[in-house]
Amino acid sequence: MTVRVRFAPSPTGMFHVGGARSALQNWIYAKQQGGVFVLRIEDTDAARNKPEWTEGILSALDWIGISRGSYEGPYFQSANAGEHRAAATRLYESGRAYYCDCTREDVQARTGSQYQGYDGYHRDLGLGPGPGHALRFRTPDEGTTVVVDLIRGEPTFENKLIEDFVIARGDGSPVFLLANVVDDMTMGITHVIRAEEHLPNTPKQQLLWDALGVKPPVWAHVPVVVNEKRQKLSKRRDKVALEAYRDEGYLAGAMRNYLMLLGWAPSGDREIVPWSVIEDEFRLEEVNPSPAFFDEKKLRAFNGEYIRALPVPEFIDACQPWLTGTGTLAPPPWQPEEFDADAFAAVAPLAQTRIAVLSEIVPNVDFLFLASPLIDEAAWTKTMKDGSADLLDAAVAAFEALESWDAESLKSTLEAVGAERGLKLGKTQAPVRVAVTGRTVGLPLFESLEVLGRERTLTRMRAARLRLP
């Protein structure tokens, strides 16, 4: 039997990091088993679907390494509507489903409780199909439904506690539960690897598989992904869009590595490992069923490690979208003609050790490409205190006299200026850094001044001096 797994997102918004985790787990499992990864777009909610969301799913999968052409699909659930309706008809004709025209208010009036589930009122009344008649599955009165799950063992559900659930609406359109089962049957899915949030629906779906005469798939419900408050990650509350992380400058390799650690870990005391190790060592049955904490700070640290591991030419290439304004959320503050590729290449090794996401490259190097620095006024107020004017005057005079404009000469010269005033280098260089770069933190100062050049450095220091009394 060929293993066939599927990833079935809905095109109703940005691509959730939890969905990306599930896609990767399905992808690796299929590859390990010599099987097939199927992409199915569950697009039956026409009111919420947009074509650009579908393209966003495909692009996001491309980015994390599940490239187009390497999987089967994408299929679209809406194209299988005829099979969904046919299955609903078979269930009705076989007596496994019946029609009901009860409203929620009807049920509440009969039961006296707004919390009571459906009471089976129409089970034996023989109501036929018609406008406003929903089709309900006839759940067995006795026994249990056992879900064999590779991660959670054998969760067992008492059938009497499962209400007769709706499988087709009053207009005849099948609901998600039935459509999902029929699609999996049609596509020959053998293993369903999905998030824990779907587990409550699984006994209902397994009953549908049985009623339609097909052996259910192997189930595996991976842990829910939660935030630092141990709440399920929410699009309304948390930063969950994979595209947002991509556009901020997270590397695909770092994201893949981190997502696979949500509920699982490679052997040994290590977390950052080559993708080939993850592909070899990942085991579904080793996934921890407990909720998995999505720690953005840890992801940042991961990403910083991945950035520092890049060869410098690859780092320079990776930064280009942010330096040129291509495909990013905002263009850089300089004009294209102001960018100096050679100057960036000179400081790239310094920047590479200091940023955690690629978008941080812009504020670290913008001083090189702007006619004048973007002054952080809070930094100016904090740094430019009594004595700063005298220090800048002395530093300008000392720098003007330098024969060699290099980092070592600049450093020793400024050290001497500070020593004459009883200042250590840190205190001495702070006003110079703000005058030249506009900020109190950034790349190593003297290497930056070397690349910026004598004329531009002195011009900025003089301009800063004019702002001081």
Side-chain angles (χ1 to χ4, degrees), residues 387 390-391 393-395 416-423:
D390 170 64
L391 193 150
D393 284 337
V417 170
E420 291 174 359
R421 289 156 179 78
L423 299 175

Side-chain angles (χ1 to χ4, degrees), residues 253-448:
M255 180 62 77
R256 281 198 307 266
N257 188 161
Y258 182 71
L259 288 176
M260 287 302 296
L261 297 181
L262 298 178
W264 175 82
S267 61
D269 185 19
R270 54 183 181 163
E271 292 184 312
I272 297 178
V273 295
W275 184 244
S276 59
V277 171
I278 294 176
E279 288 186 320
D280 288 342
E281 294 191 2
F282 176 71
R283 297 291 182 271
L284 265 180
E285 59 272 18
E286 294 177 1
V287 172
N288 190 323
S290 300
F293 172 33
F294 186 87
D295 185 347
E296 190 176 344
K297 292 180 181 178
K298 186 173 182 179
L299 174 59
R300 267 183 68 87
F302 263 56
N303 202 64
E305 291 290 336
Y306 269 81
I307 285 176
R308 288 186 284 277
L310 290 174
V312 173
E314 289 186 22
F315 172 71
I316 291 174
D317 288 343
C319 289
Q320 293 308 306
W322 288 269
L323 298 173
T324 61
T326 303
T328 60
L329 298 179
W334 55 81
Q335 296 301 312
E337 63 273 13
E338 294 178 298
F339 179 70
D340 185 335
D342 291 336
F344 178 68
V347 300
L350 305 175
Q352 186 174 3
T353 65
R354 285 166 170 78
I355 65 174
V357 293
L358 293 174
S359 59
E360 291 176 347
I361 195 63
V362 172
N364 272 278
V365 301
D366 59 4
F367 72 94
L368 285 173
F369 312 122
L370 296 170
S372 57
L374 298 172
I375 300 294
D376 179 342
E377 293 300 332
W380 177 278
T381 301
K382 179 181 178 181
T383 304
M384 298 302 190
K385 299 184 180 299
D386 292 343
S388 293
D390 170 64
L391 193 150
L392 285 175
D393 284 337
V396 167
F399 284 173
E400 285 177 328
L402 276 177
E403 293 184 5
S404 177
W405 190 265
D406 60 81
E408 189 57 40
S409 298
L410 289 162
K411 178 181 178 182
S412 59
T413 298
L414 195 59
E415 276 184 317
V417 170
E420 291 174 359
R421 289 156 179 78
L423 299 175
K424 293 184 178 179
L425 182 59
K427 292 287 187 180
T428 307
Q429 70 178 10
V432 176
R433 178 183 290 279
V434 172
V436 174
T437 72
R439 299 179 177 87
T440 55
V441 295
L443 305 186
L445 176 62
F446 303 107
E447 288 81 355
S448 297

Side-chain angles (χ1 to χ4, degrees), residues 84-100:
H84 303 158
R85 290 179 179 269
T89 299
R90 290 201 305 274
L91 290 168
Y92 172 65
E93 292 177 346
S94 67
R96 300 303 301 271
Y98 61 92
Y99 283 98
C100 166

Side-chain angles (χ1 to χ4, degrees), residues 6-199:
R6 51 78 164 173
F7 177 59
S10 298
T12 56
M14 304 295 274
F15 196 50
H16 197 289
V17 290
R21 189 269 308 260
S22 294
L24 288 170
Q25 291 170 329
N26 275 278
W27 174 259
I28 291 177
Y29 187 77
K31 189 172 183 179
Q32 288 175 338
Q33 303 299 320
V36 178
F37 177 95
V38 178
L39 176 62
R40 182 172 75 231
I41 305 297
E42 300 197 331
D43 63 337
T44 52
D45 188 350
R48 298 176 61 204
N49 297 338
K50 295 181 180 179
E52 56 265 35
W53 295 135
T54 296
E55 177 56 33
I57 290 170
L58 300 180
S59 296
L61 289 174
D62 275 343
W63 183 64
I64 59 172
I66 303 177
S67 58
R68 305 178 207 211
S70 65
Y71 49 79
E72 193 175 296
Y75 298 113
F76 292 86
Q77 189 173 64
S78 57
N80 211 23
E83 289 293 330
H84 303 158
R85 290 179 179 269
T89 299
R90 290 201 305 274
L91 290 168
Y92 172 65
E93 292 177 346
S94 67
R96 300 303 301 271
Y98 61 92
Y99 283 98
C100 166
D101 65 357
C102 293
T103 64
R104 185 180 299 274
E105 290 73 23
D106 292 336
V107 176
Q108 291 177 0
R110 286 196 301 269
T111 63
S113 171
Q114 62 177 322
Y115 305 109
Q116 176 71 40
Y118 180 65
D119 57 356
Y121 179 77
H122 275 94
R123 263 191 162 220
D124 302 309
L125 294 185
L127 183 68
H133 296 185
L135 187 62
R136 289 184 177 272
F137 183 77
R138 191 185 300 273
T139 303
D141 295 318
E142 299 178 348
T144 60
T145 297
V146 179
V147 174
V148 178
D149 192 297
L150 292 179
I151 296 171
R152 298 174 186 279
E154 297 186 358
T156 301
F157 302 83
E158 290 189 62
N159 291 332
K160 66 181 180 181
L161 299 180
I162 303 174
E163 69 176 9
D164 290 354
F165 51 93
V166 173
I167 58 175
R169 303 176 184 89
D171 62 2
S173 60
V175 302
F176 170 79
L177 278 174
L178 180 60
N180 191 268
V181 167
V182 173
D183 289 343
D184 284 346
M185 288 180 180
T186 304
M187 297 174 185
I189 301 303
T190 63
H191 293 68
V192 172
I193 305 166
R194 60 186 182 181
E196 177 188 358
E197 64 194 69
H198 297 288
L199 182 59

